[in-house]
Amino acid sequence: MTTAETSQIKPGAIAPNASISRKLKEFYDAVQEEGIPDRFLDLLERLEAAENAQKANAKAVDAK
């Protein structure tokens, strides 16, 4: 919104995008409250295990 557009809004009036902003905030809050699916947690655990194995292999190679 430009300065000219802002000056055209009457004091106390609701901003044109206020309902959009409110709905986006509500959606964000709802998504934030959702749990993380078990399959995603399993994937994260496998990724962490793979990273740890890669680091261990790198340390073993460096030690030689």
Side-chain angles (χ1 to χ4, degrees):
M1 187 174 296
T2 64
T3 306
E5 291 171 343
T6 304
S7 64
Q8 293 176 358
I9 298 173
K10 296 177 183 176
I14 297 174
N17 295 326
S19 64
I20 295 171
S21 298
R22 188 183 72 251
K23 291 288 186 182
L24 284 173
K25 173 83 169 99
E26 289 172 5
F27 180 71
Y28 178 79
D29 290 342
V31 168
Q32 214 174 12
E33 292 175 9
E34 288 181 9
I36 299 173
D38 290 337
R39 62 188 173 134
F40 188 69
L41 291 174
D42 292 339
L43 180 61
L44 290 174
E45 288 174 7
R46 288 189 300 173
L47 177 60
E48 185 177 6
E51 288 176 341
N52 290 338
Q54 184 179 16
K55 288 177 185 176
N57 286 339
K59 285 181 181 179
V61 171
D62 289 343
K64 289 183 180 181

Short mmCIF file of all heavy atoms in Angstrom, two decimals:
data_model
loop_
_atom_site.label_atom_id
_atom_site.label_comp_id
_atom_site.label_asym_id
_atom_site.label_seq_id
_atom_site.Cartn_x
_atom_site.Cartn_y
_atom_site.Cartn_z
N MET A 1 0.86 -1.17 0.00
CA MET A 1 0.00 0.00 0.00
C MET A 1 0.90 1.23 0.00
O MET A 1 1.82 1.34 0.78
CB MET A 1 -0.89 -0.06 1.24
CG MET A 1 -1.93 1.01 1.26
SD MET A 1 -3.09 0.84 2.64
CE MET A 1 -3.87 -0.67 2.26
N THR A 2 0.61 2.16 -0.86
CA THR A 2 1.42 3.36 -0.96
C THR A 2 0.98 4.38 0.08
O THR A 2 -0.08 4.27 0.68
CB THR A 2 1.30 3.99 -2.37
OG1 THR A 2 -0.04 4.42 -2.56
CG2 THR A 2 1.72 3.01 -3.45
N THR A 3 1.79 5.41 0.24
CA THR A 3 1.46 6.46 1.20
C THR A 3 0.16 7.16 0.79
O THR A 3 -0.66 7.49 1.65
CB THR A 3 2.60 7.50 1.26
OG1 THR A 3 3.81 6.79 1.53
CG2 THR A 3 2.37 8.52 2.34
N ALA A 4 -0.04 7.36 -0.49
CA ALA A 4 -1.26 8.01 -0.96
C ALA A 4 -2.49 7.16 -0.63
O ALA A 4 -3.52 7.67 -0.22
CB ALA A 4 -1.18 8.25 -2.47
N GLU A 5 -2.35 5.83 -0.80
CA GLU A 5 -3.47 4.94 -0.49
C GLU A 5 -3.74 4.92 1.01
O GLU A 5 -4.87 4.85 1.44
CB GLU A 5 -3.18 3.53 -1.00
CG GLU A 5 -3.18 3.42 -2.51
CD GLU A 5 -2.69 2.08 -2.99
OE1 GLU A 5 -2.04 1.36 -2.20
OE2 GLU A 5 -2.94 1.73 -4.14
N THR A 6 -2.67 4.94 1.80
CA THR A 6 -2.82 4.93 3.25
C THR A 6 -3.55 6.17 3.73
O THR A 6 -4.39 6.10 4.63
CB THR A 6 -1.43 4.87 3.94
OG1 THR A 6 -0.75 3.72 3.44
CG2 THR A 6 -1.56 4.76 5.43
N SER A 7 -3.26 7.30 3.14
CA SER A 7 -3.90 8.55 3.57
C SER A 7 -5.38 8.58 3.21
O SER A 7 -6.14 9.34 3.78
CB SER A 7 -3.17 9.75 2.97
OG SER A 7 -3.28 9.73 1.56
N GLN A 8 -5.82 7.74 2.27
CA GLN A 8 -7.23 7.71 1.87
C GLN A 8 -8.08 6.87 2.83
O GLN A 8 -9.29 6.97 2.82
CB GLN A 8 -7.35 7.16 0.46
CG GLN A 8 -6.75 8.09 -0.58
CD GLN A 8 -6.80 7.47 -1.98
OE1 GLN A 8 -7.23 6.35 -2.15
NE2 GLN A 8 -6.34 8.21 -2.96
N ILE A 9 -7.44 6.04 3.65
CA ILE A 9 -8.19 5.22 4.61
C ILE A 9 -8.58 6.10 5.78
O ILE A 9 -7.76 6.77 6.38
CB ILE A 9 -7.34 4.02 5.09
CG1 ILE A 9 -7.00 3.12 3.91
CG2 ILE A 9 -8.07 3.24 6.16
CD1 ILE A 9 -6.04 2.01 4.25
N LYS A 10 -9.87 6.06 6.11
CA LYS A 10 -10.36 6.90 7.20
C LYS A 10 -9.93 6.32 8.54
O LYS A 10 -9.83 5.10 8.69
CB LYS A 10 -11.88 6.98 7.14
CG LYS A 10 -12.38 7.65 5.88
CD LYS A 10 -13.88 7.64 5.82
CE LYS A 10 -14.33 8.26 4.50
NZ LYS A 10 -15.77 8.20 4.34
N PRO A 11 -9.66 7.19 9.52
CA PRO A 11 -9.29 6.70 10.84
C PRO A 11 -10.37 5.78 11.41
O PRO A 11 -11.56 6.06 11.30
CB PRO A 11 -9.17 7.97 11.68
CG PRO A 11 -8.96 9.07 10.69
CD PRO A 11 -9.67 8.64 9.44
N GLY A 12 -9.96 4.66 11.98
CA GLY A 12 -10.90 3.70 12.55
C GLY A 12 -11.41 2.69 11.54
O GLY A 12 -12.10 1.75 11.91
N ALA A 13 -11.12 2.91 10.26
CA ALA A 13 -11.56 1.97 9.23
C ALA A 13 -10.66 0.74 9.25
O ALA A 13 -9.49 0.82 9.63
CB ALA A 13 -11.50 2.63 7.85
N ILE A 14 -11.20 -0.38 8.84
CA ILE A 14 -10.43 -1.62 8.77
C ILE A 14 -9.59 -1.58 7.50
O ILE A 14 -10.09 -1.25 6.43
CB ILE A 14 -11.36 -2.84 8.78
CG1 ILE A 14 -12.15 -2.89 10.08
CG2 ILE A 14 -10.59 -4.12 8.57
CD1 ILE A 14 -13.20 -3.98 10.13
N ALA A 15 -8.31 -1.92 7.63
CA ALA A 15 -7.42 -1.95 6.46
C ALA A 15 -7.96 -2.96 5.45
O ALA A 15 -8.54 -3.99 5.84
CB ALA A 15 -6.02 -2.32 6.90
N PRO A 16 -7.79 -2.70 4.16
CA PRO A 16 -8.34 -3.58 3.12
C PRO A 16 -7.87 -5.03 3.23
O PRO A 16 -8.61 -5.94 2.90
CB PRO A 16 -7.84 -2.96 1.82
CG PRO A 16 -7.46 -1.57 2.16
CD PRO A 16 -7.11 -1.56 3.60
N ASN A 17 -6.67 -5.27 3.70
CA ASN A 17 -6.13 -6.62 3.77
C ASN A 17 -6.22 -7.22 5.17
O ASN A 17 -5.63 -8.26 5.43
CB ASN A 17 -4.68 -6.63 3.29
CG ASN A 17 -4.56 -6.27 1.83
OD1 ASN A 17 -5.43 -6.60 1.03
ND2 ASN A 17 -3.49 -5.59 1.47
N ALA A 18 -6.94 -6.59 6.07
CA ALA A 18 -7.02 -7.06 7.44
C ALA A 18 -7.61 -8.46 7.53
O ALA A 18 -7.11 -9.30 8.29
CB ALA A 18 -7.83 -6.10 8.29
N SER A 19 -8.64 -8.75 6.75
CA SER A 19 -9.25 -10.08 6.82
C SER A 19 -8.30 -11.14 6.28
O SER A 19 -8.24 -12.25 6.81
CB SER A 19 -10.58 -10.12 6.07
OG SER A 19 -10.39 -9.88 4.70
N ILE A 20 -7.55 -10.80 5.25
CA ILE A 20 -6.56 -11.74 4.71
C ILE A 20 -5.49 -12.01 5.74
O ILE A 20 -5.12 -13.17 5.99
CB ILE A 20 -5.94 -11.20 3.40
CG1 ILE A 20 -7.01 -11.11 2.31
CG2 ILE A 20 -4.78 -12.07 2.95
CD1 ILE A 20 -6.57 -10.39 1.06
N SER A 21 -5.00 -10.96 6.37
CA SER A 21 -3.98 -11.11 7.40
C SER A 21 -4.47 -11.97 8.56
O SER A 21 -3.76 -12.84 9.06
CB SER A 21 -3.53 -9.75 7.93
OG SER A 21 -2.97 -8.98 6.91
N ARG A 22 -5.70 -11.73 8.97
CA ARG A 22 -6.28 -12.49 10.08
C ARG A 22 -6.40 -13.96 9.73
O ARG A 22 -6.05 -14.84 10.51
CB ARG A 22 -7.64 -11.92 10.47
CG ARG A 22 -8.22 -12.51 11.75
CD ARG A 22 -9.60 -11.98 12.09
NE ARG A 22 -10.61 -12.53 11.16
CZ ARG A 22 -11.24 -11.86 10.21
NH1 ARG A 22 -11.01 -10.58 10.04
NH2 ARG A 22 -12.11 -12.42 9.43
N LYS A 23 -6.89 -14.26 8.52
CA LYS A 23 -7.05 -15.65 8.08
C LYS A 23 -5.70 -16.35 7.96
O LYS A 23 -5.56 -17.51 8.35
CB LYS A 23 -7.78 -15.72 6.74
CG LYS A 23 -9.22 -15.33 6.82
CD LYS A 23 -10.02 -16.41 7.51
CE LYS A 23 -11.49 -16.08 7.47
NZ LYS A 23 -12.28 -17.05 8.17
N LEU A 24 -4.70 -15.66 7.45
CA LEU A 24 -3.36 -16.25 7.35
C LEU A 24 -2.80 -16.55 8.73
O LEU A 24 -2.19 -17.60 8.94
CB LEU A 24 -2.41 -15.32 6.58
CG LEU A 24 -2.59 -15.28 5.07
CD1 LEU A 24 -1.72 -14.20 4.46
CD2 LEU A 24 -2.26 -16.63 4.47
N LYS A 25 -2.99 -15.65 9.67
CA LYS A 25 -2.52 -15.86 11.04
C LYS A 25 -3.23 -17.07 11.66
O LYS A 25 -2.59 -17.91 12.30
CB LYS A 25 -2.79 -14.60 11.87
CG LYS A 25 -2.50 -14.74 13.34
CD LYS A 25 -1.03 -14.52 13.63
CE LYS A 25 -0.77 -14.40 15.12
NZ LYS A 25 -0.30 -15.60 15.74
N GLU A 26 -4.54 -17.18 11.47
CA GLU A 26 -5.30 -18.32 11.98
C GLU A 26 -4.79 -19.62 11.38
O GLU A 26 -4.63 -20.62 12.08
CB GLU A 26 -6.79 -18.15 11.69
CG GLU A 26 -7.47 -17.06 12.50
CD GLU A 26 -8.89 -16.79 12.05
OE1 GLU A 26 -9.41 -17.51 11.15
OE2 GLU A 26 -9.50 -15.84 12.57
N PHE A 27 -4.54 -19.61 10.06
CA PHE A 27 -4.04 -20.81 9.39
C PHE A 27 -2.66 -21.19 9.91
O PHE A 27 -2.39 -22.36 10.19
CB PHE A 27 -3.99 -20.59 7.87
CG PHE A 27 -3.49 -21.77 7.11
CD1 PHE A 27 -4.26 -22.92 7.00
CD2 PHE A 27 -2.25 -21.74 6.50
CE1 PHE A 27 -3.80 -24.02 6.30
CE2 PHE A 27 -1.78 -22.84 5.80
CZ PHE A 27 -2.55 -23.98 5.69
N TYR A 28 -1.78 -20.22 10.05
CA TYR A 28 -0.43 -20.46 10.57
C TYR A 28 -0.50 -21.05 11.98
O TYR A 28 0.19 -22.02 12.28
CB TYR A 28 0.37 -19.15 10.59
CG TYR A 28 1.76 -19.31 11.15
CD1 TYR A 28 2.78 -19.85 10.37
CD2 TYR A 28 2.04 -18.95 12.46
CE1 TYR A 28 4.06 -20.00 10.89
CE2 TYR A 28 3.31 -19.11 12.98
CZ TYR A 28 4.32 -19.62 12.20
OH TYR A 28 5.56 -19.79 12.72
N ASP A 29 -1.34 -20.49 12.83
CA ASP A 29 -1.49 -21.00 14.20
C ASP A 29 -2.00 -22.44 14.19
O ASP A 29 -1.53 -23.28 14.97
CB ASP A 29 -2.43 -20.11 15.01
CG ASP A 29 -1.82 -18.75 15.31
OD1 ASP A 29 -0.58 -18.60 15.22
OD2 ASP A 29 -2.59 -17.82 15.65
N ALA A 30 -2.94 -22.75 13.30
CA ALA A 30 -3.48 -24.11 13.22
C ALA A 30 -2.41 -25.10 12.77
O ALA A 30 -2.30 -26.20 13.32
CB ALA A 30 -4.68 -24.15 12.27
N VAL A 31 -1.62 -24.72 11.79
CA VAL A 31 -0.56 -25.59 11.29
C VAL A 31 0.50 -25.80 12.37
O VAL A 31 1.02 -26.90 12.55
CB VAL A 31 0.08 -25.01 10.01
CG1 VAL A 31 1.36 -25.74 9.63
CG2 VAL A 31 -0.91 -25.06 8.86
N GLN A 32 0.79 -24.77 13.11
CA GLN A 32 1.80 -24.83 14.17
C GLN A 32 1.38 -25.81 15.27
O GLN A 32 2.22 -26.45 15.89
CB GLN A 32 1.99 -23.43 14.76
CG GLN A 32 3.38 -23.14 15.19
CD GLN A 32 3.54 -21.69 15.63
OE1 GLN A 32 2.58 -20.95 15.81
NE2 GLN A 32 4.77 -21.28 15.80
N GLU A 33 0.08 -25.94 15.51
CA GLU A 33 -0.43 -26.80 16.56
C GLU A 33 -0.49 -28.27 16.14
O GLU A 33 -0.61 -29.15 16.99
CB GLU A 33 -1.82 -26.33 17.01
CG GLU A 33 -1.79 -25.00 17.72
CD GLU A 33 -3.17 -24.48 18.04
OE1 GLU A 33 -4.16 -25.23 17.88
OE2 GLU A 33 -3.27 -23.32 18.46
N GLU A 34 -0.40 -28.54 14.84
CA GLU A 34 -0.49 -29.91 14.36
C GLU A 34 0.76 -30.70 14.78
O GLU A 34 1.85 -30.16 14.87
CB GLU A 34 -0.59 -29.95 12.83
CG GLU A 34 -1.91 -29.48 12.31
CD GLU A 34 -2.00 -29.55 10.79
OE1 GLU A 34 -1.09 -30.13 10.16
OE2 GLU A 34 -2.97 -29.01 10.26
N GLY A 35 0.57 -31.98 15.01
CA GLY A 35 1.69 -32.84 15.34
C GLY A 35 2.50 -33.20 14.11
O GLY A 35 2.03 -33.07 12.98
N ILE A 36 3.71 -33.66 14.34
CA ILE A 36 4.56 -34.09 13.25
C ILE A 36 4.25 -35.57 12.98
O ILE A 36 4.27 -36.37 13.91
CB ILE A 36 6.05 -33.90 13.60
CG1 ILE A 36 6.34 -32.42 13.86
CG2 ILE A 36 6.94 -34.44 12.49
CD1 ILE A 36 7.73 -32.15 14.39
N PRO A 37 3.98 -35.93 11.73
CA PRO A 37 3.65 -37.32 11.42
C PRO A 37 4.80 -38.26 11.78
O PRO A 37 5.98 -37.91 11.64
CB PRO A 37 3.43 -37.31 9.91
CG PRO A 37 3.15 -35.89 9.56
CD PRO A 37 3.89 -35.07 10.56
N ASP A 38 4.45 -39.47 12.24
CA ASP A 38 5.46 -40.45 12.63
C ASP A 38 6.43 -40.78 11.50
O ASP A 38 7.63 -40.93 11.73
CB ASP A 38 4.79 -41.75 13.11
CG ASP A 38 4.09 -41.56 14.44
OD1 ASP A 38 4.47 -40.63 15.19
OD2 ASP A 38 3.17 -42.34 14.75
N ARG A 39 5.92 -40.89 10.27
CA ARG A 39 6.81 -41.23 9.16
C ARG A 39 7.84 -40.12 8.91
O ARG A 39 8.95 -40.40 8.49
CB ARG A 39 6.01 -41.56 7.90
CG ARG A 39 5.18 -40.43 7.38
CD ARG A 39 4.27 -40.88 6.25
NE ARG A 39 3.39 -39.79 5.92
CZ ARG A 39 3.15 -39.40 4.70
NH1 ARG A 39 3.66 -40.05 3.68
NH2 ARG A 39 2.35 -38.38 4.48
N PHE A 40 7.47 -38.88 9.18
CA PHE A 40 8.43 -37.79 9.02
C PHE A 40 9.49 -37.86 10.12
O PHE A 40 10.67 -37.64 9.87
CB PHE A 40 7.71 -36.44 9.04
CG PHE A 40 8.60 -35.29 8.70
CD1 PHE A 40 9.10 -35.12 7.43
CD2 PHE A 40 8.94 -34.35 9.67
CE1 PHE A 40 9.93 -34.06 7.12
CE2 PHE A 40 9.77 -33.29 9.36
CZ PHE A 40 10.26 -33.14 8.08
N LEU A 41 9.06 -38.16 11.35
CA LEU A 41 10.02 -38.31 12.45
C LEU A 41 10.97 -39.47 12.18
O LEU A 41 12.18 -39.37 12.45
CB LEU A 41 9.27 -38.52 13.77
CG LEU A 41 8.49 -37.32 14.29
CD1 LEU A 41 7.68 -37.71 15.52
CD2 LEU A 41 9.43 -36.18 14.62
N ASP A 42 10.45 -40.57 11.63
CA ASP A 42 11.30 -41.71 11.27
C ASP A 42 12.32 -41.31 10.21
O ASP A 42 13.50 -41.68 10.28
CB ASP A 42 10.46 -42.88 10.75
CG ASP A 42 9.61 -43.52 11.84
OD1 ASP A 42 9.93 -43.34 13.03
OD2 ASP A 42 8.62 -44.20 11.48
N LEU A 43 11.89 -40.54 9.24
CA LEU A 43 12.79 -40.08 8.19
C LEU A 43 13.89 -39.20 8.78
O LEU A 43 15.06 -39.34 8.41
CB LEU A 43 11.99 -39.30 7.13
CG LEU A 43 12.78 -38.73 5.96
CD1 LEU A 43 13.45 -39.85 5.17
CD2 LEU A 43 11.87 -37.92 5.06
N LEU A 44 13.54 -38.32 9.70
CA LEU A 44 14.54 -37.47 10.35
C LEU A 44 15.55 -38.29 11.15
O LEU A 44 16.75 -38.01 11.13
CB LEU A 44 13.87 -36.43 11.26
CG LEU A 44 13.09 -35.33 10.56
CD1 LEU A 44 12.35 -34.47 11.57
CD2 LEU A 44 14.01 -34.46 9.71
N GLU A 45 15.07 -39.34 11.82
CA GLU A 45 15.97 -40.22 12.58
C GLU A 45 16.92 -40.95 11.65
O GLU A 45 18.12 -41.08 11.95
CB GLU A 45 15.15 -41.22 13.41
CG GLU A 45 14.46 -40.59 14.59
CD GLU A 45 13.54 -41.57 15.32
OE1 GLU A 45 13.55 -42.77 14.99
OE2 GLU A 45 12.84 -41.12 16.23
N ARG A 46 16.41 -41.44 10.52
CA ARG A 46 17.29 -42.13 9.55
C ARG A 46 18.32 -41.17 8.97
O ARG A 46 19.47 -41.54 8.76
CB ARG A 46 16.46 -42.76 8.44
CG ARG A 46 15.69 -43.98 8.92
CD ARG A 46 15.05 -44.72 7.78
NE ARG A 46 14.11 -43.83 7.09
CZ ARG A 46 13.49 -44.12 5.97
NH1 ARG A 46 13.67 -45.28 5.39
NH2 ARG A 46 12.67 -43.26 5.42
N LEU A 47 17.91 -39.95 8.70
CA LEU A 47 18.83 -38.94 8.18
C LEU A 47 19.94 -38.66 9.19
O LEU A 47 21.12 -38.59 8.83
CB LEU A 47 18.08 -37.66 7.84
CG LEU A 47 18.93 -36.48 7.35
CD1 LEU A 47 19.68 -36.84 6.07
CD2 LEU A 47 18.06 -35.25 7.14
N GLU A 48 19.56 -38.52 10.45
CA GLU A 48 20.55 -38.26 11.49
C GLU A 48 21.51 -39.44 11.63
O GLU A 48 22.72 -39.25 11.75
CB GLU A 48 19.85 -38.00 12.82
CG GLU A 48 20.80 -37.61 13.93
CD GLU A 48 20.09 -37.27 15.24
OE1 GLU A 48 18.87 -37.44 15.32
OE2 GLU A 48 20.79 -36.83 16.16
N ALA A 49 20.99 -40.65 11.55
CA ALA A 49 21.85 -41.84 11.63
C ALA A 49 22.82 -41.89 10.46
O ALA A 49 24.00 -42.21 10.62
CB ALA A 49 21.00 -43.10 11.67
N ALA A 50 22.34 -41.56 9.26
CA ALA A 50 23.20 -41.55 8.08
C ALA A 50 24.29 -40.48 8.20
O ALA A 50 25.45 -40.73 7.84
CB ALA A 50 22.37 -41.32 6.82
N GLU A 51 23.94 -39.32 8.72
CA GLU A 51 24.92 -38.26 8.91
C GLU A 51 25.97 -38.67 9.94
O GLU A 51 27.17 -38.44 9.74
CB GLU A 51 24.24 -36.96 9.36
CG GLU A 51 23.46 -36.28 8.26
CD GLU A 51 22.71 -35.04 8.76
OE1 GLU A 51 22.49 -34.89 9.98
OE2 GLU A 51 22.33 -34.22 7.91
N ASN A 52 25.54 -39.31 11.02
CA ASN A 52 26.48 -39.76 12.04
C ASN A 52 27.41 -40.84 11.49
O ASN A 52 28.61 -40.84 11.79
CB ASN A 52 25.73 -40.29 13.27
CG ASN A 52 25.05 -39.17 14.03
OD1 ASN A 52 25.43 -38.01 13.93
ND2 ASN A 52 24.03 -39.52 14.80
N ALA A 53 26.88 -41.75 10.67
CA ALA A 53 27.71 -42.78 10.06
C ALA A 53 28.72 -42.16 9.11
O ALA A 53 29.89 -42.57 9.08
CB ALA A 53 26.82 -43.79 9.32
N GLN A 54 28.30 -41.16 8.36
CA GLN A 54 29.20 -40.49 7.42
C GLN A 54 30.32 -39.78 8.18
O GLN A 54 31.48 -39.83 7.79
CB GLN A 54 28.44 -39.50 6.55
CG GLN A 54 29.29 -38.84 5.49
CD GLN A 54 28.49 -37.88 4.62
OE1 GLN A 54 27.38 -37.49 4.98
NE2 GLN A 54 29.04 -37.52 3.49
N LYS A 55 29.99 -39.13 9.29
CA LYS A 55 31.00 -38.46 10.11
C LYS A 55 31.98 -39.46 10.69
O LYS A 55 33.20 -39.21 10.74
CB LYS A 55 30.34 -37.65 11.23
CG LYS A 55 29.63 -36.40 10.75
CD LYS A 55 28.93 -35.70 11.91
CE LYS A 55 28.11 -34.52 11.41
NZ LYS A 55 27.36 -33.87 12.53
N ALA A 56 31.46 -40.60 11.15
CA ALA A 56 32.34 -41.64 11.72
C ALA A 56 33.28 -42.18 10.65
O ALA A 56 34.48 -42.41 10.93
CB ALA A 56 31.49 -42.76 12.30
N ASN A 57 32.78 -42.37 9.43
CA ASN A 57 33.62 -42.85 8.34
C ASN A 57 34.69 -41.82 7.98
O ASN A 57 35.82 -42.18 7.71
CB ASN A 57 32.79 -43.19 7.11
CG ASN A 57 32.00 -44.47 7.27
OD1 ASN A 57 32.32 -45.32 8.10
ND2 ASN A 57 30.93 -44.60 6.50
N ALA A 58 34.32 -40.57 7.99
CA ALA A 58 35.28 -39.49 7.68
C ALA A 58 36.37 -39.44 8.74
O ALA A 58 37.55 -39.27 8.41
CB ALA A 58 34.56 -38.16 7.57
N LYS A 59 36.02 -39.62 10.00
CA LYS A 59 37.01 -39.61 11.08
C LYS A 59 37.95 -40.82 10.95
O LYS A 59 39.14 -40.71 11.17
CB LYS A 59 36.34 -39.63 12.44
CG LYS A 59 35.74 -38.32 12.83
CD LYS A 59 35.10 -38.37 14.20
CE LYS A 59 34.47 -37.05 14.57
NZ LYS A 59 33.81 -37.09 15.89
N ALA A 60 37.40 -41.97 10.55
CA ALA A 60 38.21 -43.19 10.39
C ALA A 60 39.21 -43.00 9.25
O ALA A 60 40.36 -43.42 9.35
CB ALA A 60 37.32 -44.39 10.15
N VAL A 61 38.78 -42.38 8.17
CA VAL A 61 39.66 -42.14 7.02
C VAL A 61 40.75 -41.14 7.40
O VAL A 61 41.92 -41.30 7.04
CB VAL A 61 38.85 -41.64 5.80
CG1 VAL A 61 39.77 -41.17 4.68
CG2 VAL A 61 37.93 -42.75 5.30
N ASP A 62 40.38 -40.10 8.13
CA ASP A 62 41.35 -39.09 8.57
C ASP A 62 42.38 -39.65 9.54
O ASP A 62 43.53 -39.22 9.56
CB ASP A 62 40.64 -37.90 9.22
CG ASP A 62 39.87 -37.05 8.22
OD1 ASP A 62 40.13 -37.19 7.00
OD2 ASP A 62 38.99 -36.27 8.65
N ALA A 63 41.99 -40.64 10.32
CA ALA A 63 42.88 -41.22 11.31
C ALA A 63 43.93 -42.10 10.66
O ALA A 63 44.98 -42.37 11.26
CB ALA A 63 42.07 -42.04 12.32
N LYS A 64 43.69 -42.57 9.46
CA LYS A 64 44.66 -43.46 8.77
C LYS A 64 45.82 -42.71 8.25
O LYS A 64 46.24 -41.81 8.02
CB LYS A 64 43.97 -44.19 7.62
CG LYS A 64 43.01 -45.24 8.11
CD LYS A 64 42.41 -45.97 6.94
CE LYS A 64 41.44 -47.03 7.45
NZ LYS A 64 40.85 -47.78 6.39
#
